[in-house]
Amino acid sequence: MKIVNRNEELLRDAFSCIPQSSSRTSLSSCNKLIRFEDISAAAFKIQCGVQKTPCMYSRLSKQYGMDIYLKKEFLQYTGSVKERGVLYLLTSLPQDQQRKGVIVASDSNFSMAVAYHASELRIPVFVIMSTSTSPARVKMCREYGAMVISYGTTAKDSQTHARRLAQENGYLYLEEEDSAVYLSGLGTVGLEVYEQVPKLDAVIFPAGGHCGLLAGSAAALKHLNPHISVIGVESESFPVLQQSLKAGHPIEDQACSNHDLYGDVSELCFGSNSLQLTGKLVDKVVAVREEDIFISMLRLLEYERATVDADGATGLAALVAGKLPELKGKRVAIVICSGNLELHLLQQCITRALTLDNRVCRFSLVLSDCPGDISKLLEILAREEARVLDIKQERIFVTSDLFTIEVTCTVETRDKIHTAQLRNTLLERYPTAVWTER
């Protein structure tokens, strides 16, 4: 049964055939209308190739005062929602092009999805990565079945080499863009969320450098129920979507200083299709601090046992930051879109989040160099139920009285209130104690 409402008109008006930038040599063409029928067709075509991920009620609901449902797209085989758009795009290629093969030049989730699904479809696939790419990413791409070639020291070098190989060998050079086919594949998330969670009030999506997931899913959700609020969340470090909406065209002159951490979020690759759909159908776009994203990663790990990257944690970060007070008491779905983060970065992010959440703190104090003084300090910490992570003693470079030592302790507490109680207790016993501010 076809559902028709006023959002058909919004979708129809969203595109006006604007030529693509000449740098987008991969797929196409002039902007094409994305219709609800296109998203439905994509859902039917990719149903056997991607996971229908769960959208589960979260224990975080009580903490934030609303019914929260998490759409766990990080459970896809390659750990990313981008498999949906990639699979639909690859299955839509002409057979002669499938025989010749495809080529990508990136270490992004998009490239990982292309590597896996092209191999599964027996399409020759080549991935060009710079020599600075993480060895773990190179290994994973090869395990997915792609021919990985290391070339150049920068992403630009790899892209130039990939385009040259594509031209010489007849490969199709793929770059993440906002063609109607790719957006339709991503839009299937909106269909699933609507089906899995009845009586939804709002759906929150990450909206980094590529807002295709937000735009495609908004098209599906607004068609099915125009009263559902669709909200995009991006990082304050590069609020590209907000600036682009204000300017009326994609802004591509910003750069992210921390590509290793943000990865796909920081890649400025959305186009006019995604931007116009977002402007027409998305109710709100908010920006969050990096600190909120770290704490969101910690919350998901603790409460959901979900290991996600910055992109995956961005949606929840809007609730952590208190940016959406109007959703209190509502039924809200959050799309957790990806979970690909290097292990060393994961450790750094969680350690930083514990500090930001006032659950790891450090203080220094001066004690007399007597056998029992440190024991007394440890007794106080044990009585206050603080877990000692590290303790250091300094005897040589102490500037206070002779026969004293400086002790620096790093301890873990339950929460901000517990930290404040510990601090007050220590200051009563050691008035000169100094706390390291985060």
Side-chain angles (χ1 to χ4, degrees):
M1 182 178 71
K2 182 179 177 183
I3 305 173
V4 180
N5 59 35
R6 66 182 182 84
N7 289 98
E8 282 288 329
E9 267 183 54
L10 290 180
L11 292 176
R12 198 169 288 119
D13 293 341
F15 302 126
S16 55
C17 209
I18 300 171
Q20 296 286 337
S21 161
S22 59
S23 67
R24 306 288 185 194
T25 58
S26 52
L27 284 174
S28 86
S29 73
C30 138
N31 293 344
K32 177 183 176 293
L33 168 67
I34 174 176
R35 302 169 302 166
F36 179 76
E37 288 82 354
D38 298 325
I39 300 171
S40 298
F44 178 77
K45 198 166 186 179
I46 68 174
Q47 62 182 330
C48 295
V50 298
Q51 296 290 328
K52 184 174 182 178
T53 56
C55 191
M56 301 172 62
Y57 184 77
S58 173
R59 291 196 296 134
L60 290 164
S61 298
K62 292 181 180 179
Q63 187 166 346
Y64 295 105
M66 61 191 76
D67 289 335
I68 297 174
Y69 294 81
L70 300 180
K71 179 64 170 168
K72 300 184 176 182
E73 282 296 304
F74 63 91
L75 295 177
Q76 296 292 353
Y77 191 85
T78 65
S80 168
V81 68
K82 295 186 179 180
E83 286 191 30
R84 295 173 178 271
V86 164
L87 180 57
Y88 191 45
L89 189 154
L90 290 173
T91 54
S92 300
L93 294 179
Q95 287 189 359
D96 61 332
Q97 188 59 65
Q98 291 188 18
R99 284 192 295 270
K100 290 177 183 177
V102 296
I103 189 167
V104 290
S106 166
D107 62 349
S108 65
N109 289 331
F110 177 80
S111 292
M112 305 290 274
V114 171
Y116 171 66
H117 283 290
S119 298
E120 289 293 296
L121 294 169
R122 302 188 182 279
I123 298 173
V125 54
F126 302 86
V127 180
I128 314 301
M129 293 181 169
S130 68
T131 53
S132 59
T133 302
S134 159
R137 287 255 167 173
V138 174
K139 178 175 179 288
M140 190 66 70
C141 237
R142 285 185 174 139
E143 288 179 351
Y144 288 149
M147 172 68 72
V148 180
I149 302 170
S150 294
Y151 185 91
T153 56
T154 66
K156 190 173 182 181
D157 294 337
S158 300
Q159 290 163 5
T160 302
H161 187 58
R163 287 192 179 98
R164 184 166 62 249
L165 290 176
Q167 189 173 8
E168 291 172 356
N169 299 280
Y171 308 138
L172 178 65
Y173 175 64
L174 292 178
E175 207 172 7
E176 188 172 8
E177 55 183 25
D178 64 348
S179 64
V181 174
Y182 185 63
L183 290 181
S184 297
L186 293 176
T188 59
V189 173
L191 288 182
E192 287 187 13
V193 170
Y194 183 83
E195 174 190 323
Q196 291 169 316
V197 185
K199 299 181 181 179
L200 264 177
D201 294 303
V203 186
I204 302 174
F205 295 90
H210 194 289
C211 60
L213 172 62
L214 171 65
S217 296
L221 287 165
K222 287 295 188 180
H223 177 96
L224 292 165
N225 183 352
H227 300 296
I228 294 176
S229 293
V230 178
I231 300 167
V233 186
E234 61 182 350
S235 171
E236 282 184 358
S237 302
F238 28 89
V240 193
L241 180 55
Q242 288 179 322
Q243 293 183 9
S244 298
L245 288 169
K246 187 175 181 180
H249 59 83
I251 301 294
E252 299 202 14
D253 58 355
Q254 288 195 8
C256 172
S257 60
N258 197 347
H259 174 79
D260 287 341
L261 175 61
Y262 288 101
D264 289 18
V265 187
S266 61
E267 293 190 356
L268 312 180
C269 54
F270 66 83
S272 298
N273 282 6
S274 298
L275 186 63
Q276 291 186 47
L277 267 177
T278 300
K280 290 280 186 181
L281 302 177
V282 174
D283 297 279
K284 190 175 186 179
V285 178
V286 299
V288 294
R289 301 175 307 158
E290 186 176 85
E291 290 88 344
D292 299 318
I293 294 174
F294 287 150
I295 292 176
S296 176
M297 293 170 70
L298 176 63
R299 295 282 186 271
L300 289 167
L301 183 60
E302 282 191 309
Y303 284 81
E304 297 294 330
R305 300 299 182 260
T307 306
V308 305
D309 52 24
D311 198 7
T314 300
L316 179 62
L319 301 185
V320 170
K323 291 292 183 78
L324 301 170
E326 68 273 17
L327 297 183
K328 291 286 185 181
K330 301 291 182 68
R331 180 169 288 202
V332 180
I334 304 174
V335 178
I336 312 298
C337 64
S338 56
N340 290 320
L341 188 64
E342 303 294 332
L343 292 178
H344 70 282
L345 286 175
L346 174 64
Q347 183 179 10
Q348 292 179 44
C349 291
I350 297 304
T351 301
R352 179 65 176 148
L354 287 167
T355 305
L356 292 167
D357 206 26
N358 293 289
R359 290 163 57 185
V360 171
C361 53
R362 178 178 296 168
F363 60 87
S364 300
L365 46 82
V366 176
L367 301 174
S368 63
D369 194 4
C370 297
D373 276 17
I374 291 184
S375 296
K376 290 177 182 177
L377 171 62
L378 293 175
E379 285 176 9
I380 293 173
L381 294 176
R383 189 167 60 247
E384 293 297 318
E385 299 180 345
R387 178 169 172 253
V388 179
L389 300 178
D390 186 42
I391 184 166
K392 295 179 181 178
Q393 304 175 49
E394 178 59 64
R395 285 182 170 83
I396 300 175
F397 297 99
V398 178
T399 57
S400 56
D401 297 337
L402 196 61
F403 304 119
T404 59
I405 60 172
E406 184 178 44
V407 177
T408 301
C409 284
T410 303
V411 298
E412 183 180 358
T413 58
R414 289 187 297 273
D415 50 33
K416 188 176 182 178
I417 295 174
H418 188 198
T419 299
Q421 291 172 348
L422 175 65
R423 184 170 183 168
N424 291 336
T425 300
L426 289 173
L427 286 173
E428 286 179 9
R429 179 70 175 81
Y430 307 102
T432 59
V434 177
W435 288 71
T436 303
E437 299 297 331
R438 59 180 175 85

